[in-house]
Amino acid sequence: MSNADTYDVAVIGYGPTGATAANLLGRMGLKVIVIERDPDVYGRARAISTDDEVMRIWQSVGLADRLQQDMLPNRPLNFVDAECAPFIDMKIASRGTGHPPQQFLYQPAVDAVLRDGVARFSNVEVLLEHECLRVLTKGDGVELMVADLRTDSFKRIHACYVIAAEGGSSPTRGQLGVGYSGRTYTERWVVIDTEVLKEWDAHDRLRFHCNPTRPTVDCPTPLGHHRWEYPARTDEDEQSLLREEAIWKVLGDQGITPENVKILRAVIYSHHVRVADRWRVGRVFLAGDAAHAMPPWIGQGMSAGVRDVANLCWKLAAVRSGNAPDSLLDSYQSERKPHVTEVTRRACLMGRIITERNRILATARNHVFRALSRLPGVNSALVKMTWIPDARYREGFLADSDHPAVGWQIPQPWVTGPDGVKVRLDDILDGQWAVLYTDSPPAGAQAWAELGAPMIRVTEPTLVRWLRRRKADAVVLRPDGFIYAASRSAQPLPRPSAVTSIRTGVAA
Ligand SMILES: Cc1cc2nc3c(=O)[nH]c(=O)nc-3n(C[C@H](O)[C@H](O)[C@H](O)COP(=O)(O)OP(=O)(O)OC[C@H]3O[C@@H](n4cnc5c(N)ncnc54)[C@H](O)[C@@H]3O)c2cc1C
């Protein structure tokens, strides 16, 4: 399907997943349409945290520095007992990605910046107050039936591919008959967003109050906000939980009074652990909450959606520009789903640590962690168990090789660019295929150069050490910074046989 009215990609849903996809595809020069039911960004603050890898994706579309202005990086994380005494003081160490490892954020502000970013691309059209009613595969494309909610009229939109990023209740997923298996927690959580009026001790840190009577999370969020989340007890009805007196009782137990904060909104959420059975049906891809849902304990729901589209969009661009076969798109699910499954497992584990209701077990937990946390190495082991897994694909679109560097995402140090100015590595790579080598160009590099991949000599010491630890003197990077192929000095780089038609991968 290809005529002037056909879009390369239609994105349904303009939450963080859809807006990131629109930025990525817009930058790659694709003709894109975004369809969003609501008139404006969703006003309820949901996500409050993200990580360095996600910032790196937003960096690739030129928005990281702007987003950073509205974020709080690297705040301390404490697990505290019922008396607010810390028994774990957790620090997330930098993994050399060029961004602080953990960030607190205010989702409506992030959504707004992502949407402003999309406005830079004349090749991306955004239809607000339009609801996608039906997605139908027709020949070699997809037809979308869309309702214009402002005029009560209908239109047909044609696209070669569709990214369904319409959130957890994804109507497209339902229409495609894709299962969304898993479970919904019976426990409901009260989420309170506040505006800070007067700071208090520990206002600047995330605290998991591991109080068996009322487990609570409280967390600074930027732009003068602070969030509390706690589960409803089975005997508490929603209306009474949301009454001001009930909220102030919970905040008051932590010493917070109306002098400290003004309540902005109180909402009740249920948490889900779900994953779509298939993430691709023909030309339609599920992404973000449409493909998976997880509890918020390590702040990864939105972040997982951003990772999804970072994985998918360069592949769509390569296929649309005729530089890669459609089968490349099958690697989307095989690469992303194992990561999402592991992140979800960790989020659930973290939830179990925080919400232990048995007093004896909770007391034992506090003592054990308090004692352990004094031992060297325990903090980093705990972070490794509960924070996001390594950025590494074990299967997918990778060279057929058992080289230990293949599948890892390259770190991102600050490096000296060709004009002598310090920049982050990705700003040099610019979302293209590239060959990096430490000493001299490896045998086999020429074949990659002929496809258009630049040859870049790496001298930055941390990057050289990182490569040597993985026994690599040369690596071939995909446009998303993951290592496609690698070699040691005496060996030639694998030939680009599987990617002969990809050239530099992106269209722009
Ligand atoms: C209390 C809470 C705390 C959270 N904390 C975190 C956190 O700290 N970190 C984190 O990473 N994540 C967190 N999350 C999860 C995060 O908010 C979601 O994962 C994220 O918003 C999902 O983004 P999305 O773009 O996939 O979907 P959504 O944000 O749900 O966006 C989907 C969009 O699609 C639109 N839409 C739906 N149907 C149609 C249709 N038929 N046609 C057109 N448009 C349609 C909707 O209007 C909506 O704008 C939290 C969630 C909650 C509830």
Side-chain angles (χ1 to χ4, degrees):
M1 180 184 277
S2 189
N3 66 49
D5 300 329
T6 302
Y7 294 89
D8 289 309
V9 182
V11 178
I12 315 171
Y14 207 23
T17 305
T20 302
N23 274 290
L24 288 161
L25 296 167
R27 182 172 178 275
M28 292 169 195
L30 273 72
K31 187 174 171 197
V32 177
I33 187 153
V34 181
I35 300 148
E36 166 58 48
R37 192 180 49 201
D38 290 348
D40 209 339
V41 295
Y42 189 61
R44 285 182 183 174
R46 292 177 292 166
I48 50 172
S49 167
T50 193
D51 60 76
D52 46 349
E53 291 168 17
V54 168
M55 291 304 284
R56 202 170 164 182
I57 293 165
W58 287 333
Q59 177 195 338
S60 76
V61 290
L63 295 176
D65 292 339
R66 171 63 192 87
L67 286 162
Q68 184 68 71
Q69 289 170 17
D70 294 342
M71 292 185 179
L72 295 175
N74 291 340
R75 293 297 145 133
L77 269 70
N78 290 170
F79 288 69
V80 302
D81 61 21
E83 280 72 48
C84 292
F87 60 90
I88 301 176
D89 185 4
M90 205 158 123
K91 287 184 192 65
I92 298 172
S94 163
R95 293 177 305 171
T97 54
H99 294 278
Q102 196 270 333
Q103 305 266 3
F104 289 127
L105 56 88
Y106 185 64
Q107 187 173 344
V110 170
D111 287 343
V113 171
L114 292 176
R115 289 186 180 195
D116 286 349
V118 172
R120 296 170 297 173
F121 304 110
S122 58
N123 49 319
V124 181
E125 210 175 310
V126 178
L127 301 180
L128 298 178
E129 294 184 81
H130 281 68
E131 181 167 2
C132 181
L133 303 176
R134 199 188 63 200
V135 169
L136 199 67
T137 300
K138 278 202 166 169
D140 57 354
V142 186
E143 182 183 271
L144 297 90
M145 173 65 87
V146 173
D148 182 339
L149 304 177
R150 299 161 310 177
T151 57
D152 250 347
S153 58
F154 298 93
K155 51 183 85 153
R156 286 189 163 82
I157 290 171
H158 296 99
C160 298
Y161 291 98
V162 171
I163 300 178
E166 329 114 301
S169 54
S170 168
T172 305
R173 190 187 60 231
Q175 276 169 44
L176 295 171
V178 174
Y180 197 46
S181 47
R183 67 196 167 101
T184 294
Y185 283 79
T186 45
E187 208 165 51
R188 298 148 301 150
W189 278 71
V190 185
V191 177
I192 314 287
D193 279 316
T194 68
E195 181 190 330
V196 175
L197 304 175
K198 185 175 163 216
E199 292 174 352
W200 59 97
D201 276 354
H203 72 93
D204 63 340
R205 60 201 51 215
L206 169 65
R207 292 190 299 176
F208 294 113
H209 298 259
C210 302
N211 176 352
T213 315
R214 177 76 84 186
T216 310
V217 183
D218 91 278
C219 177
T221 48
L223 306 170
H225 299 107
H226 202 95
R227 160 80 61 89
W228 275 265
E229 299 183 14
Y230 48 88
R233 297 193 199 102
T234 38
D235 58 331
E236 290 173 317
D237 73 85
E238 299 200 356
Q239 269 192 344
S240 55
L241 272 166
L242 296 181
R243 277 201 199 105
E244 288 238 343
E245 317 85 83
I247 295 170
W248 283 119
K249 166 82 183 74
V250 176
L251 302 197
D253 287 349
Q254 293 174 21
I256 306 299
T257 70
E259 251 191 42
N260 298 113
V261 295
K262 177 175 147 198
I263 296 169
L264 296 177
R265 63 182 81 81
V267 191
I268 297 202
Y269 282 105
S270 294
H271 297 319
H272 316 274
V273 179
R274 293 189 180 273
V275 64
D277 301 341
R278 296 167 69 191
W279 294 24
R280 173 181 192 182
V281 179
R283 292 176 165 269
V284 183
F285 297 84
L286 301 174
D289 279 15
H292 43 72
M294 65 184 76
W297 305 124
I298 55 172
Q300 281 294 312
M302 173 194 74
S303 311
V306 172
R307 284 185 172 83
D308 290 347
V309 289
N311 181 290
L312 178 59
C313 287
W314 71 266
K315 295 174 181 173
L316 285 169
V319 172
R320 279 307 295 150
S321 58
N323 291 327
D326 176 272
S327 58
L328 170 64
L329 301 169
D330 289 335
S331 63
Y332 165 56
Q333 175 173 341
S334 57
E335 290 181 355
R336 284 293 304 138
K337 194 173 174 184
H339 192 271
V340 165
T341 306
E342 178 58 16
V343 170
T344 306
R345 191 190 67 74
R346 291 175 185 217
C348 295
L349 170 69
M350 187 68 128
R352 278 204 299 281
I353 297 176
I354 303 161
T355 58
E356 179 56 63
R357 299 300 183 94
N358 180 306
R359 282 174 188 284
I360 298 167
L361 289 179
T363 308
R365 171 202 59 202
N366 300 357
H367 282 310
V368 169
F369 277 120
R370 193 168 271 130
L372 282 177
S373 65
R374 295 193 189 107
L375 301 175
V378 169
N379 181 62
S380 53
L382 191 65
V383 171
K384 211 169 166 38
M385 263 167 53
T386 53
W387 188 233
I388 51 173
D390 291 328
R392 182 184 188 188
Y393 297 135
R394 291 184 188 273
E395 59 174 305
F397 183 62
L398 305 169
D400 189 14
S401 132
D402 55 4
H403 193 288
V406 168
W408 284 89
Q409 189 180 33
I410 196 94
Q412 183 182 215
W414 287 83
V415 293
T416 308
D419 48 6
V421 177
K422 284 258 174 204
V423 289
R424 294 185 182 104
L425 177 66
D426 291 359
D427 293 337
I428 291 183
L429 300 174
D430 199 26
Q432 306 287 312
W433 284 85
V435 175
L436 304 192
Y437 61 93
T438 51
D439 297 319
S440 49
Q446 191 51 33
W448 290 94
E450 281 163 14
L451 289 183
M455 301 284 134
I456 300 172
R457 178 154 183 248
V458 172
T459 53
E460 200 282 327
T462 59
L463 189 50
V464 172
R465 278 200 299 275
W466 187 92
L467 289 166
R468 297 236 157 100
R469 273 203 305 279
R470 284 166 186 76
K471 307 195 183 330
D473 293 299
V475 292
V476 180
L477 293 184
R478 311 187 325 183
D480 58 358
F482 282 81
I483 297 175
Y484 174 80
S487 71
R488 296 171 208 206
S489 58
Q491 296 171 332
L493 270 176
R495 288 191 58 77
S497 53
V499 290
T500 36
S501 57
I502 274 189
R503 297 191 68 82
T504 50
V506 292

